[in-house]
């Protein structure tokens, strides 16, 4: 559990009371805006897990070297680049640096204020000669000014005069060496972990323009292979009544502005460092330097305090439309707000680039975009900040040309979005758990449809979104195939019982790869096909001019919508009559059952201890697969089916993926395992704050943070929007007095408040909103809130599912299901090769 002496509970602030240089702290105290992110490194700039400054989309490419090459394998990898580090503001007193290894620290406190977006650190230390030094530093990455970061430093020698030196630096850590580079994670014994970023041995940032002009310093670079460019310019403002002098140093990989101060006792030294970053896929570095200069010139005119005030105003508006309030539990409230802030820091100013799995908080997963965005992050954006959702969807629109090329390469029509990418090209080197996850297409289409339904932004759909919907549906039409039952091949009405199948795919569960008729994929592809047919027909009828344009852009045939609808209606949805559940895929139930309950903790997560082929032979899940389909497409499954499926799959799910617990929490709440739902919710809530997966040092789990919002609003809050109908069936935890959250629905702003005995829906602004609560219809209007009495909080089932009810179950072929654990064979010794004479 979280160390509450180190991290005390505060509903609006994350506070640290002991100094650390661990990577988890760097992640937890990072600040960003979706474009620029500064990890929570201390200003001394020395020991760190990762001295990280990350810019969304700034990447290098490199040739993927497959052990055995095959046609269509991804050929070019992509990895995020560590941008020049401007966080260093090193303090020396009596020419001695503050070193926390041996410093006599009297006070220490670091605080991330979630209302203002300010990261603040206070340190009081005493030198060996008895001089008491108070250091206060703070930083923001502006949400208002996308390219701006501000770092303030105040130093006071409280009880004596002393010479003080402050060395402000900008460093190219990506290509640096020694003290400037820090220690790579691999050198710290991290070992094999596919979740980490690739490391490039050659130089990445090629120096371009660098100069100093007074207290302004500039560095700029061109990325070696990708051709991207980046520039950083920093201004320094000194405010002190002490005498001081300044000197400078500029080289291609370092810029120093050093201030030597004759500090008087009790007289503060204040230095403000204004930093601007700009990047581009083609603009020359010199142009980016000019952009940085203009950004800083504007701040100089407006003033630094104005930037902090705007940051607080921006966040006040964010919390007004985003805050989820949990009464009576400040620890849960603190963690919830931290997760919601991370969503803003990962997406607010992404402005048309994707939302990376780690946002801009670290290099984990190489800075790639996955399906995480559409399924776990976009719901929060759609219902609280729809403009951000639109921007994220536009990132997919911009990837369409590359997705079309990828589909053609895999012999399919339409478009196939990449499993992992930065620049739109597929970067997954392991096709079984990468390219084969075709469900990415349906995920993108699903998120787009949810956005349009919730916002009413039909203009976006007609102008750009329809292209995505059409091209993703086309892929399913060619990837899938028709099959007719053998006993009716000669029947004239055989088409009536034909079924549509999709083979050779991987679902969300990456412990089961390249299978036939994965249920999640088929269910979501069915949605994709139906939605595409609906969009095309509605555009043709209601917006003929827009329809003509989309026909021209996509070369849409008149009969395609009918083909999609036929395929959707005939989509094969696997079901086992014997077990009364939906198999995850056509052969899933034929595998051996992995007994997770008796798997030692030392062998978890499985992906770090077993070869994939071992895992693939068993019924064991990395993350909820069928269960996720039951949530996203829940209107196509009965409550009894959901309960049966959840009972079967929950004991098989390892939770090795941070994407799993939120979905398990939602379905557990719906079917009645309310204590289990709370347990899974807290697992997702504290993924990073408790470092539950031991990799929070590599960056925030942004999708899990998004899932926290969904677990609150859709799990405990019971909100659904199936077929564009807003409904509620709440499941408030027994010890929560209330749960309250804002919601945007088709231009109206709602506040939904849930207590044990009532659900209250208030329209703060906008048109009346129809909704239902457990099947009863209501309409809420401005100044006319609706309060719906609740008899209970839904069904309650004690405990959690186990495999015990299935211990006597048999497969369709009559063989029993017998849980087991893979063991290492020790009967035959493993011998070293004999030496050759």
């Amino acid at each position: 559990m979280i160390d509450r002496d180190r991290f005390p509970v505060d509903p609006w602030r994350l506070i640290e009371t002991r100094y650390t240089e661990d990577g988890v702290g760097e992640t937890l105290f990072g600040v960003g805006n979706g474009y620029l992110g500064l990890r929570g490194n201390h200003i001394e700039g020395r020991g760190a897990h990762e001295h990280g400054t990350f810019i969304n989309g700034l990447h290098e490419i490199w040739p993927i070297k497959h052990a055995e090459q095959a046609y269509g394998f991804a050929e070019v990898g992509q990895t995020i680049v560590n941008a020049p580090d401007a966080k260093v503001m090193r303090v020396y007193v009596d020419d001695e640096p503050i070193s926390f290894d041996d410093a006599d620290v009297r006070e220490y406190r670091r605080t991330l204020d979630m209302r203002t977006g300010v990261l603040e650190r206070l340190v009081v230390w005493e030198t060996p000669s008895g001089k008491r030094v108070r250091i206060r530093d703070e930083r923001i990455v502006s949400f208002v000014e996308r390219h701006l970061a501000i770092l303030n430093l105040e130093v006071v020698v409280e009880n004596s005069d002393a010479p003080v030196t402050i060395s402000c630096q900008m460093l190219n850590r990506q290509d640096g060496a020694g003290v400037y580079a820090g220690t790579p994670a691999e050198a710290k014994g991290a070992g094999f972990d596919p979740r980490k970023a690739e490391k490039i041995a050659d130089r990445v940032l090629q120096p371009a323009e660098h100069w100093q002009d007074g207290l302004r310093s500039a560095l700029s670079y061109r990325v070696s292979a990708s051709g991207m460019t980046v520039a950083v310019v920093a201004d320094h403002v000194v405010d002190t009544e002490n005498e001081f002098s300044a000197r400078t140093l500029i080289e291609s990989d370092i810029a120093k502005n050093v201030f030597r101060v004759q500090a008087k006792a009790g007289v503060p030294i204040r230095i403000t460092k204004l930093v601007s970053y700009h990047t581009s896929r083609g603009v020359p570095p010199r142009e980016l330097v000019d952009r940085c200069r203009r950004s800083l010139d504007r701040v100089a005119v407006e003033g630094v305090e104005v930037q902090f005030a705007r940051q607080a105003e921006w966040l006040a508006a964010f919390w007004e439309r985003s805050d989820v309030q949990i009464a009576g539990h400040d620890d849960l409230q603190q963690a919830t707000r931290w997760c919601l802030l991370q969503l803003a820091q990962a997406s607010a100013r992404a402005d048309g680039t994707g939302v990376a799995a780690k946002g801009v908080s670290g290099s984990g997963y190489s800075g790639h975009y996955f399906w995480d965005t559409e399924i776990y992050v976009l719901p929060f954006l759609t219902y609280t900040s729809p403009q951000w959702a639109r921007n994220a969807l536009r990132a997919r629109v911009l990837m369409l040309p590359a997705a079309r090329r990828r589909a053609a390469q895999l012999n399919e029509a339409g478009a196939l979005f990449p499993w992992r990418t930065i620049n739109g090209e597929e970067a997954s080197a392991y096709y079984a758990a990468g390219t084969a996850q075709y469900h990415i297409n349906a995920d993108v289409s699903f998120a787009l449809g949810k956005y349009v339904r919730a916002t009413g932004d039909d203009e976006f759909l007609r102008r750009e979104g329809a292209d995505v919907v059409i091209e993703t549906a086309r892929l399913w039409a060619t990837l899938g195939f028709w099959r007719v039952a053998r006993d009716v091949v000669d029947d004239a009405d055989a088409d009536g019982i034909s079924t549509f199948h999709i083979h050779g795919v991987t679902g969300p569960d990456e412990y089961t790869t390249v299978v036939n008729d994965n249920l999640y994929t088929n269910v979501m592809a069915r949605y994709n096909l139906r939605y595409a047919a609906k969009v095309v027909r509605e555009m043709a009828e209601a917006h003929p001019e827009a329809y003509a344009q989309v026909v021209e852009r996509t070369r849409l045939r008149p009969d395609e919508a009918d083909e999609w609808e036929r395929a959707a209606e005939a989509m094969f949805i696997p079901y086992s009559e014997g077990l009364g559940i939906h198999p995850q895929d056509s052969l899933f139930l034929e595998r051996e059952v992995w007994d997770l309950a008796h798997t030692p903790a030392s062998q978890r997560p499985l992906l770090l201890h077993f070869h994939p082929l071992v895992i693939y032979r068993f019924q064991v899940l990395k993350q909820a697969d069928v269960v996720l389909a039951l949530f996203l497409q829940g209107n196509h499954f009965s409550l009894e089916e959901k309960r049966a499926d959840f009972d079967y799959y929950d004991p098989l799910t390892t939770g090795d993926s941070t994407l799993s617990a939120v979905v398990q929490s939602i379905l557990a709440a719906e079917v009645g395992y309310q204590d289990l739902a709370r347990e899974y919710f807290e697992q997702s809530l504290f993924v990073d704050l408790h470092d539950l997966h031991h990799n929070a040092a590599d960056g925030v789990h942004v999708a899990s943070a998004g899932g926290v919002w969904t677990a609150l609003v859709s799990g405990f809050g019971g909100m659904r929007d199936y077929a564009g109908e807003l409904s509620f069936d709440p499941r408030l935890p027994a010890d929560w007095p209330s749960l309250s959250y804002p919601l945007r629905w088709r231009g109206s702003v709602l506040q939904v408040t849930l207590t044990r005995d009532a659900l209250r829906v208030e329209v703060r602004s906008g048109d009346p909103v129809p909704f239902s609560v457990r099947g009863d219809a209501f309409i809420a209007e401005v100044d006319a809130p609706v309060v719906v009495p609740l008899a209970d909080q839904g069904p309650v089932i004690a405990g959690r599912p186990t495999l015990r009810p299935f211990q006597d179950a048999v497969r369709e072929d009559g063989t029993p299901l017998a849980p087991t654990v893979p063991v290492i064979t020790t009967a035959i010794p493993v011998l070293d090769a004999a030496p050759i004479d």
Side-chain angles (χ1 to χ4, degrees):
M1 295 295 290
I2 193 169
D3 181 351
R4 285 304 180 186
D5 289 331
R6 177 184 170 191
F7 296 108
V9 173
D10 185 300
W12 278 108
R13 298 181 300 168
L14 181 66
I15 303 169
E16 181 184 56
T17 61
R18 293 198 304 272
Y19 176 86
T20 63
E21 289 182 345
D22 68 343
V24 176
E26 295 168 18
T27 294
L28 300 186
F29 290 95
V31 290
N33 63 10
Y35 170 74
L36 171 65
L38 308 182
R39 281 176 64 79
N41 304 114
H42 295 285
I43 61 171
E44 289 73 36
R46 297 191 187 278
H49 173 83
E50 182 175 33
H51 289 286
T53 300
F54 297 107
I55 299 176
N56 194 342
L58 179 65
H59 71 281
E60 177 61 307
I61 59 176
W62 44 276
I64 298 175
K65 297 180 180 178
H66 298 276
E68 295 184 18
Q69 184 70 41
Y71 176 79
F73 279 14
E75 297 177 352
V76 180
Q78 306 149 37
T79 191
I80 196 167
V81 170
N82 195 349
D85 182 8
K87 298 187 294 293
V88 180
M89 301 177 77
R90 195 168 292 162
V91 178
Y92 302 80
V93 177
D94 289 333
D95 294 324
E96 296 292 337
I98 177 172
S99 174
F100 285 90
D101 293 336
D102 52 23
D104 184 3
V105 178
R106 301 301 178 89
E107 292 182 38
Y108 173 87
R109 194 173 186 87
R110 181 161 59 160
T111 304
L112 176 61
D113 192 320
M114 294 179 278
R115 288 168 296 193
T116 63
V118 177
L119 175 65
E120 179 187 61
R121 189 191 67 164
L122 175 66
V123 179
V124 177
W125 63 296
E126 193 166 295
T127 69
S129 62
K131 295 175 182 176
R132 188 178 178 92
V133 184
R134 180 176 297 270
I135 300 175
R136 176 179 173 271
D137 62 86
E138 62 182 8
R139 71 180 65 150
I140 64 170
V141 173
S142 174
F143 286 109
V144 179
E145 296 288 342
R146 183 177 187 237
H147 301 277
L148 177 68
I150 302 177
L151 299 93
N152 283 334
L153 171 64
E154 180 181 87
V155 180
V156 181
V157 184
E158 296 184 330
N159 61 350
S160 175
D161 295 351
V164 175
T165 300
I166 299 173
S167 178
C168 298
Q169 303 176 16
M170 295 194 299
L171 303 170
N172 173 14
R173 297 205 187 258
Q174 173 70 47
D175 303 301
V179 67
Y180 296 133
T183 305
E186 286 77 6
K188 299 180 180 180
F192 162 75
D193 191 335
R195 300 167 295 187
K196 294 184 178 293
E198 297 85 1
K199 301 296 180 181
I200 300 176
D202 297 332
R203 185 177 180 97
V204 173
L205 296 176
Q206 300 296 334
E209 180 177 346
H210 57 275
W211 49 257
Q212 287 178 319
D213 180 9
L215 300 185
R216 178 173 283 188
S217 300
L219 298 174
S220 64
Y221 303 88
R222 186 180 301 276
V223 184
S224 294
S226 74
M228 291 195 69
T229 49
V230 57
V232 54
V233 177
D235 267 347
H236 300 80
V237 180
V238 183
D239 178 15
T240 184
E241 295 180 1
N242 297 296
E243 294 184 3
F244 73 94
S245 62
R247 67 180 181 86
T248 60
L249 168 71
I250 185 70
E251 297 175 359
S252 59
D253 288 326
I254 184 171
K256 287 187 179 182
N257 289 82
V258 181
F259 304 96
R260 296 173 172 174
V261 185
Q262 299 302 315
K264 299 296 184 182
V267 179
I269 307 161
R270 300 185 184 91
I271 296 179
T272 298
K273 191 174 186 179
L274 306 166
V275 188
S276 179
Y277 288 86
H278 279 263
T279 56
S280 173
R281 293 184 185 269
V283 171
R286 174 163 292 185
E287 166 62 18
L288 297 185
V289 170
D290 289 342
R291 293 181 188 179
C292 291
R293 297 171 72 168
R294 291 194 294 270
S295 296
L296 295 182
D297 289 345
R298 184 169 60 253
V299 173
V301 171
E302 295 171 345
V304 172
E305 293 305 317
V306 170
Q307 311 308 319
F308 280 82
R310 287 178 178 172
Q311 185 86 337
E313 291 170 4
W314 189 98
L315 277 164
F318 168 76
W319 290 117
E320 183 178 2
R321 65 179 186 270
S322 309
D323 190 24
V324 182
Q325 299 174 45
I326 305 170
H329 294 274
D330 282 352
D331 58 336
L332 303 182
Q333 187 68 78
Q334 177 189 43
T336 295
R337 286 183 174 137
W338 184 86
C339 288
L340 300 184
L341 179 64
Q342 301 315 306
L343 293 169
Q345 293 193 152
S347 63
R349 298 311 308 273
D351 291 8
T353 55
V355 179
K358 297 293 186 182
V360 285
S361 68
S363 63
Y365 291 110
S366 303
H368 289 170
Y369 318 136
F370 293 80
W371 71 305
D372 305 17
T373 301
E374 282 73 26
I375 297 301
Y376 293 89
V377 177
L378 268 168
F380 168 75
L381 304 185
T382 293
Y383 291 112
T384 62
S385 302
Q387 182 61 49
W388 304 357
R390 179 179 174 133
N391 290 343
L393 289 167
R394 286 210 72 246
R396 292 299 189 184
V397 172
L398 297 173
M399 291 182 192
L400 258 181
R404 290 186 178 109
R405 292 193 298 270
R406 184 62 173 161
Q409 191 176 33
L410 271 72
N411 205 41
E412 307 298 343
L416 175 59
F417 283 102
W419 179 242
R420 57 189 301 170
T421 191
I422 297 176
N423 61 15
E425 302 290 343
E426 179 63 77
S428 176
Y430 184 50
Y431 76 89
T435 298
Q437 298 205 47
Y438 287 84
H439 67 84
I440 178 69
N441 264 28
D443 302 329
V444 172
S445 181
F446 179 82
L448 194 154
K450 180 181 282 287
Y451 166 79
V452 172
R453 287 195 307 273
T455 64
D457 189 359
D458 295 321
E459 185 270 338
F460 172 73
L461 178 64
R462 294 192 298 270
R463 189 167 61 87
E464 297 180 303
D467 299 45
V468 171
V469 174
I470 289 168
E471 297 289 28
T472 51
R474 278 176 167 163
L475 176 123
W476 300 119
T478 58
L479 178 65
F481 64 94
W482 291 90
R483 178 163 290 173
V484 181
R486 180 176 299 174
D487 58 348
V488 295
V489 167
D490 297 326
D491 193 315
D493 192 33
D495 287 345
I497 57 171
S498 296
T499 50
F500 193 77
H501 298 256
I502 300 172
H503 284 189
V505 300
T506 298
D509 170 34
E510 295 175 355
Y511 283 175
T512 314
T513 65
V514 193
V515 298
N516 296 341
D517 287 321
N518 169 254
L519 180 125
Y520 177 88
T521 302
N522 285 17
V523 166
M524 295 297 286
R526 179 175 65 182
Y527 165 86
N528 195 167
L529 291 162
R530 284 174 173 166
Y531 184 55
K534 179 176 181 288
V535 167
V536 166
R537 287 169 178 160
E538 289 181 353
M539 286 183 64
E541 181 177 347
H543 302 280
E545 184 175 334
Y547 174 73
Q549 292 172 351
V550 80
V551 167
E552 182 178 355
R553 291 197 304 269
T554 65
R555 300 180 183 178
L556 181 69
R557 301 192 317 272
D559 61 342
E560 281 192 87
D562 293 337
E563 292 177 3
W564 299 335
E565 192 164 67
R566 283 195 299 272
E569 295 307 313
M571 185 68 69
F572 179 73
I573 306 299
Y575 185 76
S576 168
E577 295 288 349
L579 294 178
I581 64 167
H582 292 90
Q584 185 169 296
D585 59 71
S586 64
L587 296 179
F588 186 80
L589 298 181
E590 296 185 16
R591 298 180 176 90
E592 295 303 302
V593 179
W594 193 306
D595 189 354
L596 284 178
H598 295 92
T599 301
S602 60
Q603 294 181 335
R604 308 283 286 272
L606 303 186
L607 80 164
L608 298 185
H609 297 90
F610 294 91
H611 190 284
L613 287 175
V614 176
I615 298 173
Y616 295 165
R617 296 185 186 111
F618 285 82
Q619 293 185 45
V620 63
L621 281 63
K622 183 181 179 185
Q623 65 193 69
D625 192 305
V626 171
V627 171
L628 180 57
L630 299 177
F631 166 54
L632 298 181
Q633 291 286 279
N635 51 327
H636 297 287
F637 299 90
S638 68
L639 183 60
E640 293 73 24
E641 288 175 324
K642 294 176 185 178
R643 166 74 190 277
D645 286 343
F646 186 82
D647 282 353
Y648 188 80
Y649 288 106
D650 193 67
L652 299 176
T653 305
T654 63
D656 288 349
S657 168
T658 59
L659 302 180
S660 195
V662 291
V663 178
Q664 290 168 278
S665 175
I666 293 167
L667 256 292
E670 182 175 355
V671 302
Y673 292 103
Q674 297 201 20
D675 289 341
L676 182 59
R678 168 77 176 269
E679 179 182 331
Y680 279 136
F681 168 71
E682 293 194 13
Q683 286 181 21
S684 60
L685 183 63
F686 291 105
V687 159
D688 291 315
L689 290 169
H690 286 188
D691 193 19
L692 295 181
H693 287 244
H694 310 294
N695 64 349
D698 297 323
V700 173
H701 292 86
V702 175
S704 183
V708 163
W709 181 89
T710 305
L712 286 165
V713 171
S714 296
F716 302 132
M719 187 275 283
R720 300 289 188 274
D721 65 345
Y722 298 137
E725 302 290 334
L726 190 61
S727 67
F728 301 90
D729 185 6
R731 303 285 191 270
L732 188 69
D735 63 339
W736 290 14
S738 67
L739 174 69
S740 185
Y741 55 90
L743 202 66
R744 295 197 169 209
W745 181 255
R746 296 176 183 168
S748 297
V749 179
L750 312 180
Q751 186 70 31
V752 181
T753 303
L754 172 64
T755 61
R756 299 297 302 171
D757 56 6
L759 178 72
R760 185 177 192 271
V761 179
E762 174 189 2
V763 179
R764 289 180 170 179
S765 63
D767 296 331
V769 175
F771 64 95
S772 65
V773 178
R774 296 177 178 170
D776 295 329
F778 303 91
I779 298 179
E781 303 181 41
V782 174
D783 298 327
V786 173
V787 179
V788 182
L790 298 173
D792 55 44
Q793 292 295 325
V796 178
I797 304 171
R800 64 187 307 155
T802 69
L803 291 174
R804 194 171 302 112
F806 299 95
Q807 62 185 1
D808 297 324
V810 296
R811 301 179 176 87
E812 304 294 338
D813 62 3
T815 57
L817 293 171
T820 185
V821 178
V823 295
I824 298 175
T825 302
T826 57
I828 302 174
V830 179
L831 303 178
D832 293 331
I836 299 174
D837 293 333

